[in-house]
């Protein structure tokens, strides 16, 4: 079962007031409903969604509802359930904000359907049930999308989402409009708004694991980079010392610098910080990493002179 299906099945169990059920059904009908020959058709391949629609329609309107199944043409093994509403259709569609008082399609539902936050959440649940999907957080990217066919509905749904500061955006697609979110924190907030508590816990656990893993990888990469720098620096210093030894010119260095050279030869893999601590400990004379670096600059300068010659 996909992550999206688990989310939908979870929010289908949410009990709501009459106003909330109207808002949920409105969100579904406005984004899934097809009207033909005085019949409203709602289509889904999810049996639980079919049962929820049947229950709400009967509870709110006590209307006759027919259900039929047909083959799914989208290469899915699941059959499609078609819920057909025939009786009291005009009254139902007007009540749900699909039609206005003049029986024309309404570009947005009336205010009473989305009058408060709970009704807005219910409307968004209805939209998600028919048009939404969310990537499993185990995948390589965080992504939530809603595919909306009508431009005015897409803008309306985006505004509802952004009431909750979700930073939802819209892209034009061949068959409509895609409202999407890619920020993990916003998707998690969206799941909370839908009321999918279990999905939120799963999402957050995976997100925390991924964040820690990425942080560990960054630290490991940083540590490896530092090791490489230490190795490269020590290797360069050893080559410079060899160049000076080839010309039997170590005596041209002052005593402190020759001391640094001796310790570098003795501890070829030590970092400058480690080497400064070793020298300080063994000689009883404190030297800092910066001071030791200054001595090796003298080694480099002398080596460079021989290199040029």
């Amino acid at each position: 079962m996909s992550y999206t299906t688990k989310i939908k099945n979870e929010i289908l169990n949410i009990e709501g007031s009459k106003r909330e059920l109207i808002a949920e059904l409105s969100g579904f009908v406005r984004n899934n409903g097809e009207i033909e020959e005085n019949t409203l058709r709602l289509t889904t391949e999810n049996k639980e969604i079919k049962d929820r629609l049947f229950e709400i329609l009967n509870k709110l309107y006590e209307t006759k509802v027919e259900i039929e199944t047909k083959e799914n043409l989208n290469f899915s093994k699941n059959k499609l359930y078609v819920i057909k509403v025939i009786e009291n259709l005009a009254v139902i569609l007007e009540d749900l904000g699909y039609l206005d008082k003049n029986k024309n399609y309404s570009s947005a539902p009336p205010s009473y359907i989305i009058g408060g936050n709970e009704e807005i959440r219910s409307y968004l649940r209805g939209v998600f049930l028919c048009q939404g999907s969310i990537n499993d957080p185990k995948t390589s990217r965080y992504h939530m999308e809603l595919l909306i066919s009508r431009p005015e509905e897409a803008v309306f749904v985006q505004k509802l989402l952004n009431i909750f500061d979700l930073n939802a955006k819209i892209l034009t697609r061949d068959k409509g409009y895609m409202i999407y979110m890619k920020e993990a924190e916003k998707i998690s907030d969206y799941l909370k708004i839908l009321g999918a508590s279990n999905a939120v816990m799963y999402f957050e656990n995976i997100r925390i694991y991924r964040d820690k893993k990425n942080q560990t990888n960054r630290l490991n990469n940083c540590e490896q980079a530092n090791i490489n720098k230490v190795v490269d620096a020590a290797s360069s210093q050893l080559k410079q010392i060899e160049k000076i030894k080839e010309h039997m010119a170590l005596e041209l260095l002052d005593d402190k610098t020759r001391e640094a050279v001796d310790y570098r030869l003795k501890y070829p893999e030590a970092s400058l910080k480690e080497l400064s601590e070793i020298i300080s400990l063994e000689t009883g004379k404190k030297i800092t990493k910066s001071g030791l670096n200054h001595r090796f600059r003298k080694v480099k300068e002398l080596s460079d002179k021989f290199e040029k010659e």
Side-chain angles (χ1 to χ4, degrees):
M1 185 184 296
S2 71
Y3 182 56
T4 295
T5 301
K6 289 179 181 178
I7 297 169
K8 291 181 178 181
N9 288 348
E10 181 179 358
I11 64 178
L12 285 169
N13 293 316
I14 296 175
E15 297 290 338
S17 66
K18 181 178 179 180
R19 292 171 63 90
E20 290 165 4
L21 292 178
I22 289 174
E24 180 182 322
L25 188 58
S26 176
F28 195 100
V29 170
R30 286 176 56 81
N31 290 280
N32 178 276
E34 294 181 357
I35 301 173
E36 187 178 352
E37 299 177 353
N38 294 319
T39 300
L40 169 65
R41 288 178 172 82
L42 305 173
T43 306
T44 180
E45 63 178 31
N46 187 314
K47 180 181 180 299
E48 283 70 24
I49 292 178
K50 179 262 295 182
D51 292 341
R52 173 81 165 186
L53 293 170
F54 183 85
E55 179 186 348
I56 293 177
L57 284 165
N58 275 295
K59 186 173 184 178
L60 294 178
Y61 304 108
E62 298 180 351
T63 187
K64 181 181 178 182
V65 177
E66 296 179 3
I67 298 176
E68 62 181 38
T69 59
K70 63 179 183 179
E71 294 297 323
N72 196 333
L73 301 179
N74 292 330
F75 305 103
S76 173
K77 294 180 180 180
N78 299 326
K79 291 184 179 294
L80 289 176
Y81 297 98
V82 181
I83 298 94
K84 299 166 67 175
V85 182
I86 302 172
E87 294 180 352
N88 302 321
L89 184 58
V91 174
I92 293 172
L93 291 177
E94 185 177 339
D95 192 50
L96 294 176
Y98 189 96
L99 299 180
D100 59 22
K101 293 181 179 180
N102 297 319
K103 310 304 179 186
N104 296 318
Y105 172 74
S106 178
S107 60
S111 59
Y112 71 82
I113 287 181
I114 40 96
N117 277 355
E118 291 308 314
E119 286 79 15
I120 293 173
R121 292 170 189 265
S122 297
Y123 188 91
L124 292 174
R125 275 198 293 270
V127 178
F128 181 77
L129 285 172
C130 62
Q131 300 298 344
S133 68
I134 297 179
N135 281 9
D136 190 317
K138 286 182 179 178
T139 63
S140 59
R141 62 194 181 112
Y142 300 111
H143 183 78
M144 183 289 294
E145 67 179 43
L146 300 166
L147 295 176
I148 310 294
S149 58
R150 296 184 177 94
E152 61 271 26
E153 177 69 10
V155 172
F156 175 72
V157 172
Q158 182 196 32
K159 287 181 179 178
L160 292 185
L161 291 168
N162 288 339
I163 287 173
F164 301 98
D165 192 31
L166 294 178
N167 195 29
K169 299 176 182 178
I170 298 180
L171 284 177
T172 301
R173 289 288 181 257
D174 292 339
K175 295 183 179 181
Y177 304 85
M178 182 178 78
I179 302 172
Y180 70 95
M181 289 182 281
K182 292 184 177 294
E183 300 170 67
E185 184 179 349
K186 302 299 184 183
I187 294 174
S188 181
D189 289 342
Y190 175 63
L191 289 170
K192 294 173 189 173
I193 289 165
L194 294 180
S197 302
N198 293 333
V200 171
M201 290 179 61
Y202 173 83
F203 188 93
E204 284 299 316
N205 286 338
I206 298 298
R207 183 162 78 100
I208 291 170
Y209 169 77
R210 286 183 61 182
D211 288 347
K212 285 186 176 179
K213 185 177 179 181
N214 290 337
Q215 184 180 25
T216 300
N217 288 339
R218 285 194 295 270
L219 290 173
N220 288 340
N221 291 338
C222 183
E223 184 178 349
Q224 186 59 49
N226 289 335
I227 290 173
N228 292 340
K229 286 181 181 179
V230 168
V231 171
D232 290 344
S235 177
S236 295
Q237 290 162 3
L238 289 169
K239 288 179 181 178
Q240 292 158 9
I241 292 169
E242 286 301 315
K243 175 64 69 176
I244 295 172
K245 288 175 69 176
E246 287 175 9
H247 291 78
M248 295 178 288
L250 286 176
E251 295 300 321
L252 295 178
L253 299 171
D254 61 74
D255 293 343
K256 291 183 178 180
T257 304
R258 284 204 306 275
E259 180 183 61
V261 167
D262 291 339
Y263 273 95
R264 169 52 73 202
L265 293 172
K266 188 176 179 182
Y267 300 98
E269 296 180 355
S271 67
L272 275 182
K273 185 175 184 301
E274 291 168 341
L275 201 59
S276 66
E277 292 172 351
I278 292 170
I279 295 174
S280 298
L281 182 63
E282 293 190 3
T283 65
K285 300 175 184 176
K286 183 172 178 58
I287 180 170
T288 64
K289 174 183 172 182
S290 176
L292 189 58
N293 189 49
H294 177 71
R295 296 183 188 181
F296 280 115
R297 276 203 297 270
K298 293 181 180 179
V299 173
K300 183 178 184 306
E301 289 171 3
L302 182 57
S303 173
D304 287 346
K305 288 181 181 179
F306 290 125
E307 190 71 37
K308 288 178 182 178
E309 292 176 3

